[in-house]
Amino acid sequence: MKILQALFFPPEQPGGVSSMVPYVQERFQQMGWPMDIFSLPKRIRNKGHEDVQFVTFDIASYAGSSIVEKYIQTYRDYVWWTRMRIKSSYDLIHAHHPIAALVMEQVFPDTPVVMTIHSSYERELILNGRIQEGSQEHRFLTALYGELEHRMDGLMTVSASFRSYLAPYLQHPERVRVIPNGFDEKRFRPISHENAVPQLITVCRLVPAKGLDILLRACGELKRREIPFVLHMIGDGPIREELEQLAVELNLYDDIIFYGYMLHPEEFMPFFDIFVLPSRAEAFGSVFAEAALCWLALVGTDVGGIAEQIQDGVNGLLVKPEDPIALAEALEKLISDPTYRYNMARAAWERAKKDYSLQRVILQMREFYLNSVSEAAPSSESES
């Protein structure tokens, strides 16, 4: 079976699906299944001009929104790039973004197309203060879920909690298959080390949805309690200057290192002690599994896919979002008790290796692919 993985971001992007797919490609090719990867380069802007039509709603009703117009232009650009670049035929296309999925179904109507819904763009925009819940943009972006359900040959998502989030927008949410992201454990090499001062690390885009302001306020509380730590922040984004200013205001600037963007943070993480990310929402939170495989103790918020990865007090600590004092207390538990911290890290590593191994995910995806091809063309014989 020849498969195309259709991404939105290029595979060299750090974190999440973009960094996972090349490892998926390698494993499938080892099984004798040819697999290509396709994405839209960042340099492609305003090239497409085809009309965009949806089956389940009228796009004209969302006219006038700059966010919707930009989304539709990106859709046109993806169509233009797809028609120009893809000359091969495939037995199945697996898309990882709504634009990629809908464009592939439009351009290749006779090829089964399945999609993994990895995250909620509208929820990210709301949390980042760019749109309001119930707004024109929110209604458009959530309407896309029904369009995907209508046009895809199969839908997947990365956590049970995110399937629940999608349920109000779908006719048959029970048909959405949950397959979490998988990780090649060979990428992660835990390193025995002893840090005189406990080292905290967070890895994410610097946007409001990640709750980094809460993390800095929790660190301010740790400093007030005279708990020793250093916080390493890997990532970049639109609120970096705001976070740096907050660090100054909280008298934390000497206790925090801002690294900016880093391509392979998993090579860096094993030298630290505690991974912390107080997100306001996460569909899955791949970086928690990555940190666990680096043998770090985990602290996260009780939201979405994070809560599915961490059992509080067993393989990490969970706190409510928007609560810097609770976050500080969780961090203090791990900082002040190295044995407890070690036990949490070991349990996290064991859980991640068992539940999020790439091989396990590959087998689930293989089954889904075969079923999708069989259901799309029941009279044809599919390869195994």
Side-chain angles (χ1 to χ4, degrees), residues 75-114:
Y75 186 111
R76 294 190 183 103
D77 292 341
Y78 207 109
V79 171
W80 177 83
W81 184 245
T82 299
R83 292 194 190 283
M84 185 173 73
R85 299 293 295 181
I86 298 181
K87 305 302 179 183
S88 300
S89 61
Y90 295 92
D91 299 301
L92 179 134
I93 298 172
H94 182 178
H96 297 272
H97 187 279
I99 288 176
L102 295 172
V103 168
M104 290 298 163
E105 190 275 337
Q106 174 182 326
V107 177
F108 304 104
D110 297 326
T111 302
V113 180
V114 300

Side-chain angles (χ1 to χ4, degrees), residues 289-342:
E290 294 175 338
L293 289 167
C294 291
W295 208 294
L296 272 63
L298 307 178
V299 181
T301 36
D302 190 6
V303 297
I306 299 174
E308 292 183 30
Q309 294 184 62
I310 298 176
Q311 184 179 352
D312 186 41
V314 176
N315 66 326
L317 298 177
L318 289 175
V319 299
K320 292 180 180 179
E322 310 290 349
D323 192 338
I325 299 300
L327 181 58
E329 290 172 352
L331 290 169
E332 183 178 356
K333 282 183 183 179
L334 294 171
I335 290 171
S336 61
D337 190 340
T339 301
Y340 183 65
R341 183 169 72 234
Y342 173 85

Side-chain angles (χ1 to χ4, degrees), residues 1 33 91-92 110-114 153-154 365-384:
M1 183 184 295
W33 288 30
D91 299 301
L92 179 134
D110 297 326
T111 302
V113 180
V114 300
D153 293 285
M365 290 173 63
R366 180 180 183 275
E367 175 195 6
F368 193 85
Y369 292 165
L370 289 170
N371 289 341
S372 298
V373 170
S374 176
E375 291 172 7
S379 61
S380 64
E381 183 177 334
S382 60
E383 297 179 55
S384 60

Side-chain angles (χ1 to χ4, degrees), residues 11-25:
E12 64 268 17
Q13 291 290 312
V17 61
S18 293
S19 62
M20 180 186 77
V21 167
Y23 297 95
V24 170
Q25 177 190 39

